[in-house]
């Protein structure tokens, strides 16, 4: 495996010099953040990011994310131009040595939580999702903590309205339409597409979500069989869904060669509904058996990219939600241990 670390570019308050000091760190996972979704990324920007990473001895082989424009998800008339731009971005990232692109196909919202600073007993805080609090959220008056407010309230309402006519099947067909144009480009330039699961893995606000479980993945891989049509196995996202068996999924999709990227983090299920809290990475802290998941990856020949996902705020840090330095660095050290052990006992 190649251990990587998410880095939000030059604006990230965590310097590359710190990232490189994390044991076994091979590279950063990053993106061009300030070009509007749907437009083409200037090649110079990619070259600059890569050179910066390289100057600290870090690679830049994974992009997270090249975001997918909502009009592609909605299947609107202008999607062909937007998909052509997406393909151009794939070609450009390939030019600077990128091997893997993480993206998602969630309508409107990416990850969703009800609390950004859930206080834990040990004095740390982390992201959490409460079923009860979520019931109180009025979709017509959304003030979601941490949500990238890229839309005005009116724009958001219009967008939500547009999705009213989109069924799961429609969204799936729009994903397949997109992949049938993008994957051939990936095949040509050797880039692996790694779809990120829905987080949490169920419909929210009546919006369809189609990458929540094994059946969804099987359907998607069946529709577009190229091996470059793969997965980001995000243990925390899938793991919030209590019917998802993570070690089984790790085994099955690694055997198929479809696990290109792994996000490792643990979640603690906190009630009898859907609620969960993000916790430290180790198995004992939460509801997932992290050692079993890593063993399933290693035993089945996984050799892709891994990154420690969301950490808590610890040691007094007030980091970007989920993306502070300290707990992710501890997570990285733990991940190194799990992989070393699994590899030696293979
Ligand atoms: C959250 C991340 C997601 C992820 C996107 C990929 O912390 O895992 O925002 O980057 O869903 O497109």
């Amino acid at each position: 495996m190649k251990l990587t670390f998410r880095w939000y570019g030059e604006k990230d308050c965590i310097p590359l010099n710190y990232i490189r000091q994390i044991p076994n760190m091979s590279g950063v996972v990053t993106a061009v953040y300030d070009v509007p979704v749907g437009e083409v990324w200037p090649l110079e920007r990619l070259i600059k990011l890569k050179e910066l990473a390289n100057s600290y001895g870090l690679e830049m082989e994974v992009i997270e994310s090249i975001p997918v424009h909502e009009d592609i998800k909605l299947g609107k008339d202008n999607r062909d131009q937007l998909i052509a731009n997406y393909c151009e971005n794939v070609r450009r990232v390939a030019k600077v040595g990128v091997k893997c692109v993480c993206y998602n196909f969630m309508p409107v919202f990416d990850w969703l939580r009800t609390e950004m600073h859930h206080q834990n007993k040990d004095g740390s805080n982390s992201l959490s999702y409460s079923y009860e609090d979520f019931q109180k959220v009025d979709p017509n008056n959304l003030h979601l903590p941490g949500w990238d407010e890229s839309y005005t309230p009116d724009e958001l309402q219009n967008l939500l309205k547009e999705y009213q006519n989109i069924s799961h099947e429609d969204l799936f067909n729009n994903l397949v339409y997109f992949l049938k144009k993008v994957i051939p480009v990936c095949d040509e330039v050797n880039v692996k597409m790694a779809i990120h699961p829905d987080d949490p893995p169920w419909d929210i606000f009546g919006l369809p979500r189609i990458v929540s479980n094994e059946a969804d993945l099987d359907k998607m891989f069946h529709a577009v069989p190229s091996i470059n049509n793969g997965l980001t196995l995000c243990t925390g996202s899938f793991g919030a869904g209590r019917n998802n068996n993570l070690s089984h999924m790790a085994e099955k999709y690694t055997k198929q060669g479809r696990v290109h990227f792994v996000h490792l983090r643990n979640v603690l299920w906190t009630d009898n509904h859907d609620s969960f809290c993000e916790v430290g990475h180790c198995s004992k802290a939460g509801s997932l058996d992290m050692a079993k998941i890593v063993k399933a990856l290693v035993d089945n020949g996984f050799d892709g990219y891994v990154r420690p996902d969301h950490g808590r705020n610890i040691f007094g840090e007030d980091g970007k939600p989920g993306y502070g330095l300290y707990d992710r660095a501890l997570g990285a050290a733990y991940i190194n241990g799990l992989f070393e052990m699994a590899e030696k006992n293979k």
Side-chain angles (χ1 to χ4, degrees), residues 6 64-65 102-104 106 110-111 196 263 307 309-310 323:
R6 195 170 197 183
E64 178 176 349
S65 312
C102 173
Y103 71 105
N104 75 73
M106 291 177 247
D110 188 341
W111 53 287
H196 189 283
H263 287 177
R307 71 168 178 82
D309 203 9
H310 303 181
Y323 288 97

Side-chain angles (χ1 to χ4, degrees), residues 195-244:
I195 199 164
H196 189 283
D198 304 325
D199 181 8
W202 50 78
D203 294 355
I204 50 157
F205 304 129
L207 292 164
R209 286 184 149 189
I210 53 166
V211 192
S212 295
N213 53 45
E214 238 182 286
D216 290 346
L217 293 172
D218 290 345
K219 194 169 161 191
M220 170 187 169
F221 296 146
H222 180 76
V224 184
S226 163
I227 223 64
N228 288 324
N229 177 25
L231 166 69
T232 298
L233 186 77
C234 177
T235 59
S237 301
F238 279 128
R242 300 183 191 188
N243 293 326
N244 284 330

Side-chain angles (χ1 to χ4, degrees), residues 106 109-114 128-129 134 144-145 147 199-200 202 204-205 209 276:
M106 291 177 247
F109 305 98
D110 188 341
W111 53 287
L112 186 86
R113 300 290 182 271
T114 57
S128 71
Y129 176 94
F134 187 71
L144 284 172
W147 184 57
D199 181 8
W202 50 78
I204 50 157
F205 304 129
R209 286 184 149 189
F276 61 88

Side-chain angles (χ1 to χ4, degrees), residues 26-58:
S26 77
V28 292
V29 171
T30 191
V32 173
Y33 291 99
D34 51 5
V35 170
V37 179
E39 291 180 19
V40 174
W41 291 353
L43 189 60
E44 318 82 73
R45 299 289 306 284
L46 286 165
I47 294 172
K48 194 169 173 218
L49 274 174
K50 182 197 167 79
E51 284 177 352
L52 248 174
N54 288 173
S55 70
Y56 287 88
L58 294 161

Side-chain angles (χ1 to χ4, degrees), residues 320-336:
K320 186 176 168 67
Y323 288 97
L325 170 65
Y326 301 134
D327 204 32
R328 282 191 299 151
L330 292 182
Y334 172 67
I335 290 166
N336 278 329

